[in-house]
Amino acid sequence: MRVLLIYPLFPKTFWSYEKILELVDKKVLLPPLGLATVAAILPQEWEFKLVDRNIRSVTEAEWEWADMVILSAMIVQKEDLVNQIKAAKQRGKLVAVGGPYPTSVPAEAQKAGADFLILDEGEITLPMFVEAVQTGQTSGVFRATEKPDVTATPIPRFDLLERDAYDMMSVQFSRGCPFQCEFCDIIVLYGRKPRTKSPEQLLAELDCLYELGWRGGIFMVDDNFIGNKRNVKLLLRELKVWMKEHEYPFRFDTEASVDLAQDPELMELMVESGFAAVFLGIETPDEDSLQLTKKFQNTRNSLVESVQDIIKAGLRPMAGFIIGFDGEKSGAGSRIVAFAEQAAIPSTTFAMLQALPNTALWHRLEKEGRMRESKDGNINQTTLMNFIPTRPLEDIAREYIEAFCALYDPTAYLDRTYRCFLMMGKPSWKAPAKAPEWKIVKAFATIVWRQGVKRETRWKFWHHLFGILKHNPAVLEHYLSSCAHNEHFLEYRQIVREQIESQVEEYLAQGAEKPYIPVKKAEVVKA
């Protein structure tokens, strides 16, 4: 069996980072770890080719070669997923589809022509699919009623990836999250009991990447890396030793809940194991909204102090913010900007709230009759809310645009980044000195020219650069890398403004809905 694995296109988003990737001659931030894992679970006597369409298009020779096409996608990739299913069917190929989006909304892939739906987690449903194929079946839907033991998951087929095109590699230690945030689909897809691989298993994956010649960044793609703190600490104690023995070949980033700040031992282990940055789901500084959306873990301690404790431990925070929660008071966008400034968070993802399929929020809004016509949701930063909020949508959109542009004002961004790195702790270890690659030298020169000469930020840039050299020189490389990130945001904030304003105009022209007013009755109605 010759299997062509295809990863659909992403639209331009916060995470696409085109301008940054251009600086270092890379095409994509992260590889499709899910498809690489699928290839490892399927029979190894099968032949595989993997094409990430974010790097290049599928060639006609590859289409011709394939007996079967397998695709995986997230919700933001849904448009190209449908296009690739149709392209495969036009060429007479059997098509199998899986991943988060088809698992949440299987009807869309089926409607596009997919023959097999391999839903939920592949450790359980892929063997069902293989059995069906081997017995001659040409269609089927495979679902799981339980969560798999990920200690049986094989090492992903990293060898199938065009590794030179990626800025970072990906590995996964755990699935699931113990919390119950109303808007989150992670707990729907992977459950609230975090399941982890063994330390030996994860280190074997790192061994594989090391032997393939990878050096540089690795994103630990767990949705909450610290969901099972006991097992994470067991991993980190062994990872710390592995990194030292291999002379620190990797730098790790990950995602974690903000209660990381209450565990100094865990933060120290992460830094000593080579972790450099962590994405935090802050969502909003408004405690009423946090309580309403059941993000209780963000209400137990001061959020500003928590973020700054994480910085002082040696980790750069990236933060996710959301606007549009029920009951939200006007000025939410300004409060988010003020929080990011106070906490000194350089990079923030920021979007209007979306009700994602099958989440608790989705079901509540469906019951209240508040879902808009285009209701499948999207987590792109250029998308209006897919439900009727409790204040005018056009007001939320205006605040969102203003806040997004304020967060990525070049001067404000440099100031926040500078304050963050001034207070940042540093690890006790130091990687062996080596001459920087030419592409890194070229990228640094480009940043110096743009931010230190060409733009009005020039005085700030040099003041802050010398300030870091004087007060915290150990973080200089990381600091400059963070300065480079605003090359992407400078362009992207204008894309956000144009696309959101266009959608708001269309929304108002069609006749804006009245805001939803909660009423204390057995039957909830719309104003």
Side-chain angles (χ1 to χ4, degrees), residues 163-411:
R163 293 181 299 282
D164 289 345
Y166 297 102
D167 187 55
M168 304 181 80
M169 284 289 104
S170 301
V171 296
Q172 183 185 58
F173 179 62
S174 69
R175 294 182 201 160
C177 178
F179 299 117
Q180 54 183 329
C181 308
E182 185 188 37
F183 58 85
C184 183
D185 63 347
I186 297 305
I187 53 178
V188 176
L189 291 167
Y190 304 115
R192 288 188 58 198
K193 183 179 179 181
R195 292 159 286 132
T196 71
K197 296 176 180 177
S198 68
E200 296 77 18
Q201 196 178 359
L202 198 281
L203 294 182
E205 295 184 16
L206 298 183
D207 281 330
C208 179
L209 285 169
Y210 186 86
E211 289 163 9
L212 287 168
W214 182 258
R215 303 292 184 271
I218 293 181
F219 203 102
M220 200 80 71
V221 299
D222 305 31
D223 293 290
N224 186 356
F225 179 62
I226 66 167
N228 186 323
K229 291 183 180 180
R230 173 190 172 275
N231 286 6
V232 164
K233 288 179 181 180
L234 292 174
L235 166 68
L236 292 172
R237 290 186 185 107
E238 296 196 28
L239 177 57
K240 178 180 175 180
V241 174
W242 188 96
M243 287 285 283
K244 183 177 180 179
E245 290 175 346
H246 291 77
E247 298 187 323
Y248 303 95
F250 305 138
R251 179 198 78 245
F252 298 102
D253 295 346
T254 193
E255 304 179 36
S257 46
V258 77
D259 58 316
L260 169 64
Q262 277 66 62
D263 197 326
E265 179 194 20
L266 180 49
M267 290 190 288
E268 181 181 1
L269 281 169
M270 288 177 68
V271 172
E272 294 303 310
S273 299
F275 281 78
V278 59
F279 181 87
L280 306 168
I282 302 294
E283 320 314 353
T284 174
D286 295 347
E287 189 162 323
D288 288 348
S289 293
L290 291 171
Q291 293 280 359
L292 178 69
T293 199
K294 298 183 179 180
K295 201 171 185 81
F296 304 119
Q297 67 271 24
N298 283 22
T299 66
R300 295 168 186 153
N301 300 91
S302 163
L303 281 175
V304 169
E305 290 178 8
S306 293
V307 172
Q308 293 186 347
D309 284 345
I310 290 169
I311 296 171
K312 291 171 185 176
L315 295 164
R316 173 174 59 88
M318 302 173 280
F321 290 108
I322 295 173
I323 192 170
F325 289 105
D326 279 3
E328 183 179 76
K329 296 180 176 62
S330 63
S334 298
R335 292 192 295 276
I336 285 171
V337 173
F339 177 88
E341 289 291 335
Q342 186 181 4
I345 304 171
S347 301
T348 67
T349 63
F350 188 27
M352 284 185 272
L353 181 62
Q354 300 290 324
L356 297 178
N358 301 316
T359 58
L361 176 63
W362 165 282
H363 289 300
R364 175 168 69 83
L365 297 175
E366 281 268 83
K367 185 177 179 181
E368 294 172 355
R370 296 170 59 186
M371 297 300 293
R372 297 174 63 203
E373 184 177 345
S374 177
K375 67 178 187 176
D376 59 352
N378 199 314
I379 54 174
N380 202 345
Q381 288 75 33
T382 54
T383 307
L384 290 181
M385 301 166 74
N386 63 339
F387 65 93
I388 301 168
T390 57
R391 60 188 181 114
L393 178 57
E394 58 270 31
D395 291 353
I396 296 171
R398 175 181 49 77
E399 285 188 25
Y400 169 64
I401 293 170
E402 291 173 356
F404 199 102
C405 290
L407 284 168
Y408 288 108
D409 172 81
T411 300

Side-chain angles (χ1 to χ4, degrees), residues 388-454:
I388 301 168
T390 57
R391 60 188 181 114
L393 178 57
E394 58 270 31
D395 291 353
I396 296 171
R398 175 181 49 77
E399 285 188 25
Y400 169 64
I401 293 170
E402 291 173 356
F404 199 102
C405 290
L407 284 168
Y408 288 108
D409 172 81
T411 300
Y413 181 84
L414 275 180
D415 282 344
R416 278 200 315 278
T417 303
Y418 177 58
R419 287 185 282 111
C420 172
F421 280 88
L422 276 182
M423 76 173 88
M424 183 175 288
K426 50 188 178 292
S428 60
W429 58 268
K430 190 174 182 180
K434 60 179 181 179
E437 296 179 63
W438 166 243
K439 64 185 178 184
I440 301 300
V441 174
K442 186 175 69 172
F444 171 67
T446 302
I447 295 304
V448 169
W449 167 249
R450 291 177 183 173
Q451 299 186 16
V453 178
K454 186 178 178 182

Side-chain angles (χ1 to χ4, degrees), residues 153-168:
T153 304
I155 295 173
R157 288 288 304 273
F158 296 118
D159 59 296
L160 295 173
L161 301 171
E162 297 177 43
R163 293 181 299 282
D164 289 345
Y166 297 102
D167 187 55
M168 304 181 80

